[in-house]
Structures are given as C-alpha cells and as structure tokens.
Amino acid sequence: MLRYLNQCSRGRGAWLLMAFTALALELVALWFQHVMLLKPCVLCIYERCALFGVMGAGLVGAIAPKTPLRYVALIIWIYSAWRGVQLTWEHTMIQLHPSPFMTCDFMARFPAWLPLDKWLPQVFVASGDCAERQWEFLSLEMPQWLLGIFVAYLVVAVLVLIAQPLKPKRRDLFGR
C-alpha cells in the first residue's frame, strides 16, 4: 500500500483529486451559507481556511509531482489537515459542551498582510455563534463531519509522507 501511495504522489491525478475534494467541500460550505442561509461562525471561517490550505497543497503537488516541490505540498497538506483537526475538535467541544466561558471570537482575525475578510467578505466574514447547532446529518453536526474529513486528510498525508523514501515498483514487460 505504501508503494502505491508513493506512486500516486508522483502523479498529478491524486493531487488534483485532493484539490477537487477540498473545492467541493468549500462549495458545499458556500451553498449552506448563501442558499440555505446558515450563518458561519469564526471557527467555521477558520475551518474553511484550513480546507483552502488542503486545496492549495493539492494544486502545488499537481504542478510538479516528480520534483521536490511534492515535499512542499506534503508540508502544506499536513499542516492544513492538522490545523483543521484542531479547529474542528475545538468547535465540536463548544457545541457538545456549551458554556458561557468557552466561546469563540466575534470576528475572524486575519493578519494585516492577508485581510481575507476585507478581500472576499462573502466567504470570510463570520456572522454566527460557534455553539449554535444549525445543521445535522445522520445525527452528526457539521463540525463533527469536518473532524472526520480532516482526520482522513491527515492520516492519508502521514501515510504518503511515510511512503516517500520507498522506491516505486518498476513494472516492465518481463516483470524484472
């Protein structure tokens, strides 16, 4: 399996598939916000940023998958997935154990050099409460679903990283 993951990481298809899944999740989030009129909270916005990081990692990896740029993509992927796990865990705990002492900020804090909320407010401005449960599917809330998704991204990323030193199997006509 690790050799297979190594082989996949050296091709564009797997990287583009990862970018596409993250894009699909972003589009679903925008559907929830603008069509279903659910209000994203600050943690939702940060979770979106982590998804954009996974999507960016997929695009970076697809640029030149057979070069060391693949390792840059892996670092972005692991960092984004790890931050996604942290954020969704915090969000899940706020929803499962609401407390007046454990709340999220009123507005997202982006660095001055990257004011995403000013550049694209339709996507990055928070207007909801982190403790409010707005959506549920199969008895799981949205942050719980995202926690599973980010854990899956992280597990696969770590396995791909572990697989990097392995030599891909050479397949020729005579099986040497």
Side-chain angles (χ1 to χ4, degrees):
M1 177 183 86
L2 290 176
R3 288 188 194 279
Y4 177 73
L5 289 174
N6 182 307
Q7 183 181 2
C8 287
S9 75
R10 294 173 186 273
R12 283 191 172 87
W15 291 106
L16 290 174
L17 178 62
M18 182 175 73
F20 176 75
T21 61
L23 175 64
L25 290 168
E26 292 289 355
L27 292 174
V28 167
L30 291 173
W31 171 270
F32 282 144
Q33 179 179 353
H34 295 292
V35 176
M36 294 180 64
L37 302 177
L38 301 181
K39 296 179 179 180
C41 66
V42 171
L43 288 174
C44 294
I45 298 301
Y46 292 155
E47 290 158 11
R48 282 184 189 178
C49 292
L51 267 176
F52 275 117
V54 171
M55 184 172 32
L59 295 175
V60 169
I63 290 171
K66 293 181 180 168
T67 68
L69 190 60
R70 178 177 73 249
Y71 292 104
V72 173
L74 269 168
I75 291 168
I76 296 168
W77 182 9
I78 290 171
Y79 176 76
S80 298
W82 175 248
R83 287 296 294 146
V85 168
Q86 289 177 321
L87 291 163
T88 54
W89 178 259
E90 179 183 350
H91 197 173
T92 298
M93 290 301 107
I94 287 173
Q95 283 193 346
L96 292 179
H97 310 290
S99 164
F101 305 107
M102 190 170 162
T103 61
C104 60
D105 295 334
F106 292 112
M107 56 186 286
R109 296 182 199 175
F110 293 108
W113 56 270
L114 189 68
L116 295 175
D117 54 340
K118 307 283 187 280
W119 292 345
L120 204 56
Q122 313 83 302
V123 178
F124 294 108
V125 169
S127 58
D129 177 20
C130 293
E132 185 180 351
R133 296 178 176 197
Q134 300 183 62
W135 180 85
E136 180 182 310
F137 181 67
L138 298 176
S139 76
L140 294 176
E141 302 290 328
M142 197 174 306
Q144 293 168 321
W145 280 104
L146 279 173
L147 179 60
I149 290 165
F150 278 117
V151 165
Y153 276 136
L154 184 60
V155 167
V156 174
V158 169
L159 288 174
V160 169
L161 180 66
I162 290 169
Q164 290 309 297
L166 301 175
K167 299 275 187 221
K169 263 190 177 173
R170 228 180 103 190
R171 297 186 184 254
D172 59 6
L173 185 61
F174 301 107
R176 289 189 248 177

